[in-house]
Amino acid sequence: MSENKKNNWSRRDLLKGIAGVPIVGSVWWAGASKGINNTQARDSILKTLNINASPPPPSGPMAGDPIRIGIIGFGIRGPQLCRALGFGQKSWLTSMTEAAKKNPKDTRLSSFLEQEHLNVHITAVCDLFDVRAQDAIDSFSTDEVKVQRFGTHQELVESNIVDAVVIATPDHWHAPIAIAALQAGKHVYVEKPMTHNIKETYALKDAVEASNVVFQVGHQHRQTQSFLTAQDVVNKNILGHVSLIQANTNRNDDNGAWQYPIHEKANPNTVDWKQFIGNAPMVPFNSEHFFRWRKWWAYGSGLSGDLMSHDYDRVNCILKMGIPSSVVASGGIYTHRDGRNVPDVMQVNMEFPDFSTGSSQVAGKEKGMTMVYSATLGNQYGRTTAFMGHDATMEVGNSLTIYADSKSTKFKEKLISEEMDSNIPIYQYDPASGSVDGVTSATAKYFADKGLLWTYRDGKRVDSTHLHLREWLSCIRNGGIPSCNIKEGFEEAISSHMGGLSYKLGRRIDWDKTKQEIVRVEGYNLDEVLLENKEKIT
Amino acid sequence: METDINLSKIGRNSLVLLRILIGWHFLYEGVLKLYNPAWTSKAYLSSAELLRPLFQWLSSDAMIHLVDNLNIFSLMVVGLSLLLGLFERIGSVFGICLLLIYYIAHPALPGASQVGTEGSYWIINKNLIEATALFVLYHIPTGSYFGLNLLRKILLAPQTK
C-alpha cells in the first residue's frame, strides 16, 4: 500500500474491506435456517411419536443374607450364567486378562469386574462330566464357601445348602429338574426352551402354580433397553396395524451350528452317561451326543426350540400376542450333513388371525398378523427383526430404528410436507453410539445384534443376563413376579413345540385357545413325535 | 499483514477466493451446529481408533459438552476470520488444529475404518487437503488486500499531513 493512500479511503478500499460482511450474513442465515428447521422437524417428530426411552427402575436392593445357589449344568451356558452372577472361572479370567492386554478395546473383563455385586454364594454344582464339575469347585470355592458337588440334581435340590437353582442343562432335562426343584421349595432360573415336550410343559406350569417360590425363564433380552423402548412404541400405536413380523437366524460358522469342541478327557469313566440319557433312548456312550446335544431331537429342540424360542419371546415381550393359532414349518438339513437330525435351514410361519397392534384406518379394516421365522446355519447375511405396520416399520435388535411407511395414514401430512422421509429413520435408539464394543466371534455378534448379550444402563454396558438374574434375585428377596415367568415360558414352549411338530410331521399344527391345548393330529402321539430321534416322522 | 511473496493479480485473487470458500465452509458448519442443539461429536470421537484413550476422554459424558461447544466456537472463529479477512492467520491456525484433530480421529490410513466419508482415500483425504490450504493461507494472508484488515490498516495508520 502506498504511503500517500494511508487514511484516505477510496470507495474501492471500502468495498474490498467489507465485501466479506454480506457473505457472512448469507452463510449465517443459511446455516441458522437449516439448523432451526432441523431442530423444529426433529422436535415435532419426537413430540408426535412421544416415545419414552428411559430405562426402567432397577430391580430391588440386594441386601440381606447371601442367597445360596446351586448350578445344575456347567457346560457352555452354565459358566456364562455364573459370570452374570459375579463368578468367573479361573481359566476364563486368565484368558480375558490376556485378551484385554492384547486388545484394549476388549471390554469383557472390565465389564465383568464392574458388574454389581449380587450378594449370592455358589454353594453347589451338579454336572455329569467330572472335569467341568471340578472346574466349578476349583473356580468358585472360597475360604468361606466350599462348592459341593452333587452326583444327581435330585440330591442337590433336596440339600439344605441351596436356596435357589440355575438350570443350564440339555433341553430334555430342563423340566424334570425344574419340577423337582420347585417341589423341594427351591427358587428356579431355567434356560430356554422351558421344556422339551408338551406334557412336561403343563406339568411344569402346574408345579410353578402350586409353589410359592420364584420362577424365571432365561430370556434375558427382556432387560434390553431397545425392547423396553419397543414396548412403548407399540403401546403408543406408532406402527399402526402390524400385519407381518420377520425374525431371522443368520449364522455361518461351526460354533453357530452347534459343532462345539469335544473335551479330550470325556469318556465313560468321567461322564455319567446313563444320567445324561435320562428319558431319551439309550445309546452307547457317544461324546458327540454329550457335547453337541443340540444336534439331536432326543436331547435338544432344533432351530425351533433352540433359536426360534429367542425370537418368539423377543416378539412376545413386545406385543404380548401369546400362542399362534396355527404354525406351518418347513426346511431341511442342507448345510451340515454330519449325522444330525434337527434341521439347519428352517422357516416357521405363525398365524395370529385375531391379533392387532392397533389401527389408524377405518375400524375393522385391519386384523390379524403373521410372524415369519426364517433361519439358516449356512449364511450370515444380517437380516434384521422387523415389525411391519401400516404406518411404520420398526427394526429391533440391540438398537431400534423406526421408518415411516410412505403410504402411512397416520403420517400422511408429515410425509407430504416432507417433515418426514420414508427413507430416513423417524426415530433411532442406538446404545452403542457413544461407544464401540468389541465382539469377538460371529456367534457372539449374532447374539449381540439381537439384543441378547448386553444393554446399557446410565451409559454403562451391562450384561443383559446379569440384569435378568438380578430381577429374579430381587423377586426372591423383595417379592414381585419376574418378567419371564411361567405364563411367558408356557407360551414360548408351546409355540416352539408347535414349530418342531409342524416340521417333523410336515403339516399345519393348530392351537385350541379355548381348551388351551394343541389340536390332536389323528394317528400321532404328539409328544412321541417331538421326542422321536428322527428328522421327520412319516 | 503483508506478504513478501510477489503475486500476480490473478494469483492474489485466487487466494482470496480460496480463503472465502474455506471460510464459507467453516462458518456454515459452525452456525448449523450452533442452531441444532441435538448435534454432538460424541459418536465421531468415541469411535476413534488412533489415540483411543484421548478421544474416549474427550467424548466422555464429563467432557463432551465442553468439547462440542469448543468445536462450534472454533468453527465459527475460523469461518468469520477467513470470510471477513480479519485475524485470518489466527483463524488459519485454529482451522488447521481442528482439521488435524478430525484427521487423527479417523485417518485415511490403510486398515482404519472411514467415518462419514463419501469418497475413496488413501492417506490423503479432504481434511488433510483443507488443512494444507489453510497452511498456505496462513503464510500468504490476503486480508490487507481484500477484507476488513485493509480497513483496519488504514484506520491504524499514522495521519498524513
Side-chain angles (χ1 to χ4, degrees), chain B residues 52-73:
Chain B
R52 186 174 167 78
L54 170 69
F55 287 109
Q56 287 289 319
W57 175 68
L58 289 174
S59 62
S60 65
D61 288 343
M63 289 297 294
I64 192 65
H65 187 63
L66 177 67
V67 169
D68 282 344
N69 283 335
L70 272 176
N71 191 18
I72 293 171
F73 173 77

Side-chain angles (χ1 to χ4, degrees), chain A residues 7 9 16-17 28 34 39, chain B residues 32 35 76 145 147-148 154 159:
Chain A
N7 237 1
W9 293 14
K16 283 166 73 177
W28 196 290
K34 176 85 172 161
T39 304
Chain B
L32 188 67
Y35 286 93
M76 290 174 58
Y145 165 68
L148 285 180
I154 293 171
Q159 292 292 313

Side-chain angles (χ1 to χ4, degrees), chain A residues 88-305:
Chain A
Q89 285 161 290
K90 281 181 180 168
S91 55
W92 183 84
L93 289 169
T94 306
S95 65
M96 286 305 108
T97 305
E98 284 169 9
K101 272 183 197 163
K102 276 186 195 161
N103 178 10
K105 281 201 291 183
D106 194 323
T107 55
R108 287 175 292 176
L109 180 65
S110 57
S111 295
F112 169 74
L113 295 174
E114 287 167 12
Q115 208 169 255
E116 182 193 356
H117 179 59
L118 295 181
N119 192 18
V120 296
H121 288 162
I122 291 180
T123 53
V125 64
C126 176
D127 193 278
L128 305 180
F129 180 28
D130 293 346
V131 172
R132 285 174 167 173
Q134 194 58 46
D135 185 15
I137 293 167
D138 294 344
S139 293
F140 305 148
S141 289
T142 62
D143 292 342
E144 191 188 350
V145 182
K146 293 277 180 238
V147 180
Q148 189 176 329
R149 183 183 183 188
F150 288 88
T152 68
H153 71 270
Q154 196 65 42
E155 290 170 273
L156 186 149
V157 300
E158 285 171 1
S159 85
N160 59 8
I161 65 164
V162 296
D163 305 310
V165 295
V166 170
I167 303 167
T169 61
D171 298 353
H172 69 306
W173 272 114
H174 284 178
I177 296 173
I179 291 169
L182 290 163
Q183 288 172 347
K186 303 297 194 293
H187 305 284
V188 170
Y189 183 102
V190 63
E191 265 303 319
K192 58 82 218 166
M194 188 179 80
T195 62
H196 193 230
N197 62 50
I198 304 158
K199 192 176 163 188
E200 65 187 20
T201 308
Y202 289 89
L204 180 51
K205 185 168 179 280
D206 291 343
V208 172
E209 286 168 357
S211 75
N212 57 1
V213 294
V214 179
F215 178 80
Q216 173 97 300
V217 182
H219 283 299
Q220 66 275 2
H221 56 261
R222 285 177 174 263
Q223 310 297 329
T224 303
Q225 180 62 46
S226 51
F227 287 83
L228 301 167
T229 307
Q231 289 171 26
D232 195 50
V233 170
V234 170
N235 291 341
K236 287 174 178 156
N237 192 24
I238 287 164
L239 307 179
H241 175 76
V242 173
S243 55
L244 182 64
I245 291 172
Q246 62 166 35
N248 313 284
T249 290
N250 319 296
R251 294 180 173 187
N252 196 14
D253 65 335
D254 280 350
N255 191 57
W258 311 311
Q259 284 289 88
Y260 302 135
I262 292 173
H263 200 287
E264 59 192 14
K265 289 185 179 165
N267 60 54
N269 297 321
T270 56
V271 172
D272 185 341
W273 180 248
K274 191 178 168 200
Q275 204 181 157
F276 168 79
I277 289 292
N279 295 325
M282 178 52 82
V283 292
F285 175 78
N286 184 322
S287 58
E288 192 177 19
H289 281 218
F290 187 76
F291 289 100
R292 299 171 177 172
W293 53 266
R294 292 174 201 268
K295 290 165 47 176
W296 289 278
W297 285 108
Y299 328 110
S301 313
L303 279 165
S304 45

Side-chain angles (χ1 to χ4, degrees), chain A residues 247-249 307-315 371 373 450:
Chain A
N248 313 284
T249 290
L307 296 175
M308 188 192 81
S309 57
H310 274 309
D311 284 284
Y312 168 82
D313 193 69
R314 288 166 79 234
V315 175
M371 175 177 165
Y373 170 74
K450 279 184 175 287

Side-chain angles (χ1 to χ4, degrees), chain A residues 1 6-7 9 13-14 16-21 23-24 27-28 30-32 34-36 39 42 105 433-434 436, chain B residues 24 27-28 31-32 35-38 42-43 46-47 52 76 80 83-84 145-148 150-151 154-155 159-160:
Chain A
M1 194 172 298
K6 281 179 182 170
N7 237 1
W9 293 14
D13 289 338
L14 192 63
K16 283 166 73 177
I18 63 167
V21 175
I23 302 177
V24 166
V27 172
W28 196 290
K34 176 85 172 161
I36 290 168
T39 304
R42 178 179 171 276
K105 281 201 291 183
S433 63
V436 174
Chain B
W24 184 307
L27 185 64
Y28 186 74
V31 173
L32 188 67
Y35 286 93
N36 188 1
K42 192 176 178 73
S46 64
S47 54
R52 186 174 167 78
M76 290 174 58
L80 287 171
L83 276 179
L84 295 175
Y145 165 68
F146 190 91
L148 285 180
L150 172 63
L151 302 184
I154 293 171
L155 277 172
Q159 292 292 313
T160 52

